[in-house]
Amino acid sequence: MTTIGGLVFLLAMVFGGYVIAGGKFGIILHSLPYEMMMIGGAAIGAFVMGNSMHSVKHTLGGFGQIIKGERFHKHEYVDLLSLLYWFVRLAQTKGAMALEAHIEKPAESVAFQKFPKIMADKIALAMICDYLRMVGMNADDPHQIEDIMSKELKKVRAEELHVAHTFQNTADALPALGIVAAVLGVIKTMAAIDSPPAVLGGMIGGALVGTFLGILLAYGVMGPMATRLNGVIEEDCKYYEVIRAVLVAHLHGNAPQVAVEAGRKTAPTHSMPSFAELEEALQNLQIG
């Protein structure tokens, strides 16, 4: 909601200042539909030309991420650490093979059913199941597993950040597209050079609306949205870093409590549960 609030405040200050300074909305309102058609249409066309259909669909989801913000908060981190604690404790007490029933059919696992949000997250679900499966296949070298997980997390982060980069690329192009719209307005004005000065002034003002819109949309809308989306994605990716930290600590031979503590310390500071909060959740954990 802060994004919407910031946008409203931005528009209020820009256009409010314009009105207070004695500006009139008539020329802007008259030119706005045509200028937006040229600038927005060109931006969308360039975006589609430069991206695959998968990226286009992915980018549309980016608007939702900007509005909703980070997906994972303290409660989600407590749930993730609780589930991982249960798995590593099960592996330590009954052996890695005891995990097979849960990781092969997670939809039927009482452990995953306890935490539906984790089960709904395809990346988290795949990471937990895949790497616990590797442990069951005697791939228990912590350094090797950590290296593989780090590479996968780097790949996930790069793929998710592609949307933010697309937003930023669009922001970078908008000022130039605004100039294109303005030049077309000047061409239109020059074709009517024999018109009265008042008419020519209105036509030149309409042309300048294109430059104004291109710059405003670039630095006042798309640029901040790209920055916000980048921050949201970076924050969400730390959720998966917790999985890596816990499983690697477990493979190093640490007790389940120590393994989840290593994961807790990986969580973002403002979303990290305290030691007491996590301890209470683990003590009250009931699965099956």
Side-chain angles (χ1 to χ4, degrees), residues 58-75:
H58 198 186
T59 301
L60 294 177
F63 288 101
Q65 289 179 276
I66 292 171
I67 300 301
K68 296 177 182 178
E70 296 81 4
R71 290 188 295 145
F72 308 113
H73 304 90
K74 182 181 292 187
H75 178 71

Side-chain angles (χ1 to χ4, degrees), residues 197-234:
V199 175
L200 290 175
M203 296 177 70
I204 293 173
L208 291 175
V209 170
T211 303
F212 160 73
L213 284 177
I215 296 173
L216 178 65
L217 291 173
Y219 299 109
V221 181
M222 291 302 296
M225 287 174 66
T227 301
R228 171 60 174 160
L229 182 57
N230 186 86
V232 169
I233 293 171
E234 291 281 7

Side-chain angles (χ1 to χ4, degrees), residues 29-49:
L29 294 177
H30 175 74
S31 303
L32 189 63
Y34 313 109
E35 301 294 331
M36 279 298 297
M37 178 180 177
M38 288 185 280
I39 298 171
I44 294 173
F47 163 70
V48 173
M49 288 169 59

Side-chain angles (χ1 to χ4, degrees), residues 72-74 76-85 88 118 124 127-128 131 146 149 153 234-250 256 258-269 271-273 278:
F72 308 113
H73 304 90
K74 182 181 292 187
E76 282 76 22
Y77 280 98
V78 170
D79 286 349
L80 178 63
L81 289 166
S82 298
L83 176 63
L84 292 172
Y85 171 80
V88 296
I118 298 176
M127 285 188 66
I128 294 172
Y131 289 102
E146 183 173 19
M149 293 187 77
L153 288 170
E234 291 281 7
E235 185 87 0
D236 287 349
C237 284
K238 294 177 182 177
Y239 183 79
Y240 308 118
E241 288 283 353
V242 171
I243 301 174
R244 179 192 61 80
V246 173
L247 295 184
V248 169
H250 166 67
V258 177
V260 295
E261 180 63 15
R264 185 182 75 86
K265 289 295 186 180
T266 308
T269 302
S271 296
M272 181 177 67
L278 180 58

